[in-house]
Amino acid sequence: MSDNKKYQGNRPSNKFSNSREDKTGTDSKRSRTGERGAKTSREFTSSREDKARVSPRKSRQSDEGVADNRKFTRERSVAIPKNSGGNEEVEPKIIREDLIEGRNAVIEALKSDRTVEYILIAKGDLVGSISVVLALAKEKGIVTKEVDRRKLDQMAQTSSHQGVIAVVTPYKYFDINDIFKCAEERGEKPFIIILDEIEDPHNFGSIIRTAEVCGAHGIIIPKRKNVGATPTVYKTSAGAIEHMKIAKVTNINAAIEEIKKRGVWVYGADMEAKDYIFNTDLTGSVALVIGSEGRGISKLTKEKCDVLVKIPMVGKITSLNASVAGGIIMYEIMKQKIR
């Protein structure tokens, strides 16, 4: 008989030990260790139960703390915007069209016939071109108020108000007849810019600024899916919007048909066009269509154009920003007109 069997024969019966031996076939030392571990575990469990009975107040406080933490987590998750990983949507910021921000933009508004209700200036920021704002406002009898800079930060729609915000009547849009009348008063052939769903206010502001410099008589935009005269547009255009007639129309394609009946040739900026801008005659009555930032000119609007033109490009990047592309073509039109 082996030592192991001999030991097992002399050992008292224990159902827990036998069960372990049947399953694992381990020696007696491991079995006794398991018994001691089980005993320790039972003693530890009993100790925890005794503590729970002795101090129920601590247990209740702990439960209340967990509940508070869960409540805080729920409240915090509600405040998380949807695009930040939460499940709730945040109300979109209201875009105001009665604010003009930035020094140059406010100065141009004061020089124009625009109705300015009053001007807010940051306290202590009365140097540089702010003195020009104050002088023009005094000349026109417009009220100026010095306010805490934080108030301007709260009102501002742009990233930099430069310490001045003018509260004005919302931009008054024109109609197509006003654009043709402007060309007639200047004794020039109509030069019109048509925007097909430009949604970036920085692009729109840049296009307005370039169009004004290049002598365009007006800009036509759709009422839907196109940015309007927002503070960002004012600031980006550096006040050029005050000297540009912008017409809002219900249907761009109907507007194109209308101006074509008045003898205007419509050119569409399209990177897949066959003709380069410098090989195209742009000296007559011209309307330039600039497409949206993503998809360009829509298919139906492209079909309405008389000619599609493109800009030569030799680099690895095969597209240009809408305002940059529009600016290049507008300068080509101006060059041909003054040649």
Side-chain angles (χ1 to χ4, degrees):
M1 183 182 294
S2 65
D3 293 339
N4 189 33
K5 290 181 179 179
K6 181 180 179 180
Y7 178 78
Q8 289 177 353
N10 296 331
R11 187 180 60 183
S13 175
N14 188 304
K15 62 180 181 179
F16 295 103
S17 299
N18 291 339
S19 174
R20 289 194 182 89
E21 288 170 1
D22 292 340
K23 292 180 180 179
T24 62
T26 56
D27 58 10
S28 60
K29 291 183 179 179
R30 184 174 298 177
S31 177
R32 288 197 297 272
T33 303
E35 290 176 2
R36 288 197 299 272
K39 182 179 179 180
T40 303
S41 177
R42 287 195 295 271
E43 290 175 354
F44 179 72
T45 303
S46 176
S47 176
R48 284 193 303 180
E49 292 174 352
D50 292 341
K51 287 182 179 179
R53 286 195 297 269
V54 172
S55 55
R57 183 179 299 176
K58 290 184 178 181
S59 178
R60 284 196 299 272
Q61 289 176 349
S62 177
D63 293 340
E64 291 173 357
V66 172
D68 291 339
N69 287 337
R70 288 176 180 171
K71 181 180 178 182
F72 174 74
T73 303
R74 286 196 300 270
E75 291 176 350
R76 186 172 56 181
S77 65
V78 170
I80 297 174
K82 186 174 182 180
N83 57 6
S84 300
N87 295 323
E88 299 292 332
E89 292 186 0
V90 176
E91 292 184 2
K93 185 177 180 180
I94 297 174
I95 299 176
R96 298 179 58 175
E97 293 193 3
D98 64 335
L99 299 180
I100 298 178
E101 303 172 20
R103 301 186 179 191
N104 289 334
V106 172
I107 289 172
E108 291 301 324
L110 289 170
K111 289 180 178 179
S112 69
D113 295 329
R114 188 68 177 277
T115 302
V116 180
E117 303 293 342
Y118 57 90
I119 298 173
L120 302 177
I121 299 174
K123 289 182 179 179
D125 196 359
L126 303 177
V127 296
S129 54
I130 288 293
S131 60
V132 179
V133 173
L134 292 171
L136 289 172
K138 183 178 181 180
E139 182 182 336
K140 290 196 169 186
I142 297 170
V143 176
T144 59
K145 302 177 183 178
E146 286 190 51
V147 298
D148 191 280
R149 195 175 188 90
R150 288 176 294 182
K151 180 176 177 62
L152 298 183
D153 294 337
Q154 293 173 355
M155 290 180 61
Q157 305 266 302
T158 65
S159 58
S160 176
H161 51 70
Q162 297 177 321
V164 58
I165 294 179
V167 179
V168 300
T169 55
Y171 182 84
K172 181 182 178 181
Y173 292 94
F174 297 84
D175 57 35
I176 295 177
N177 289 329
D178 294 322
I179 296 175
F180 279 91
K181 185 178 180 181
C182 177
E184 183 180 350
E185 290 174 351
R186 294 185 190 177
E188 301 169 348
K189 294 180 179 179
F191 177 15
I192 303 170
I193 307 299
I194 302 173
L195 303 183
D196 185 15
E197 299 182 2
I198 296 292
E199 298 179 346
D200 185 353
H202 296 90
N203 274 339
F204 188 25
S206 297
I207 289 171
I208 293 171
R209 187 173 185 176
T210 307
E212 201 281 325
V213 170
C214 292
H217 303 108
I219 298 174
I220 300 175
I221 64 173
K223 289 183 178 179
R224 296 181 60 191
K225 296 182 180 180
N226 202 100
V227 66
T230 66
T232 302
V233 172
Y234 268 96
K235 193 168 187 307
T236 309
S237 72
I241 192 172
E242 294 295 341
H243 310 288
M244 179 59 58
K245 289 177 168 50
I246 302 175
K248 260 190 179 182
V249 297
T250 304
N251 190 307
I252 281 289
N253 298 317
I256 290 175
E257 289 293 339
E258 180 180 343
I259 64 174
K260 286 170 73 174
K261 290 178 181 178
R262 298 192 182 194
V264 177
W265 278 72
V266 180
Y267 297 85
D270 185 70
M271 59 184 297
E272 297 180 357
K274 295 181 179 179
D275 298 322
Y276 287 115
I277 54 171
F278 55 78
N279 289 333
T280 306
D281 184 5
L282 303 169
T283 57
S285 299
V286 175
L288 173 63
V289 182
I290 302 173
S292 65
E293 295 88 348
R295 59 180 178 81
I297 304 174
S298 61
K299 183 178 179 181
L300 183 56
T301 303
K302 194 181 296 186
E303 293 174 354
K304 295 287 183 181
C305 296
D306 294 307
V307 181
L308 296 178
V309 294
K310 65 180 179 180
I311 301 168
M313 291 180 286
V314 296
K316 295 181 180 180
I317 303 300
T318 58
S319 63
L320 289 171
N321 178 281
S323 61
V324 174
I328 293 172
I329 300 177
M330 280 187 269
Y331 269 99
E332 178 64 24
I333 294 172
M334 181 184 67
K335 184 182 74 174
Q336 291 191 21
K337 284 182 175 295
I338 64 177
R339 183 180 296 169

